[in-house]
Amino acid sequence: MKNSLAQFNKAFENRIRLQIMSVLVANVSYDFNSLKELLELTDGNLASHLKALEKEAYILINKTFIGKKPNTQYSVSEKGKTAFIKHLEALENLIKQQKTQ
């Protein structure tokens, strides 16, 4: 059991970061405002969690302008996708272990 817990990724222990990664893995990209609305977060709260994922190089950021308005798109990096899948596998393994006990 202890070995499977070592497979958990601290970056995804937070519910909001887990939600962000779930959205980004399931979509090609997502813009800041759409992500904020979907997850019902404040600008600051979302920005701080995105910054934590960016620090780990789990997400990619593409800043552009639509007309005169800034638009920031987020997508998952290969490193982030791999780490997230390993985290989900660790969760699944933990659940399977509980079923066999």
Side-chain angles (χ1 to χ4, degrees), residues 4-5 7-9 12-13 18 22 84-98:
S4 67
L5 294 178
Q7 299 299 314
F8 285 101
N9 188 317
F12 307 131
E13 284 181 0
L18 192 64
S22 296
F84 188 67
I85 290 169
K86 284 183 181 179
H87 185 75
L88 293 180
E89 288 171 351
L91 284 170
E92 288 176 12
N93 289 336
L94 181 63
I95 292 167
K96 287 176 188 171
Q97 287 174 1
Q98 299 310 308

Side-chain angles (χ1 to χ4, degrees), residues 41-92:
L41 300 171
T42 63
D43 286 7
N45 199 355
L46 178 57
S48 68
H49 288 290
L50 288 167
K51 191 172 291 276
L53 292 170
E54 179 186 15
K55 184 179 175 190
E56 297 293 329
Y58 289 164
I59 61 171
L60 303 171
I61 300 168
N62 183 28
K63 295 183 180 212
T64 59
F65 282 87
I66 297 176
K68 293 186 179 193
K69 289 183 125 183
N71 181 274
T72 306
Q73 292 281 330
Y74 298 91
S75 58
V76 69
S77 67
E78 276 305 314
K79 179 182 178 183
K81 188 173 187 177
T82 300
F84 188 67
I85 290 169
K86 284 183 181 179
H87 185 75
L88 293 180
E89 288 171 351
L91 284 170
E92 288 176 12

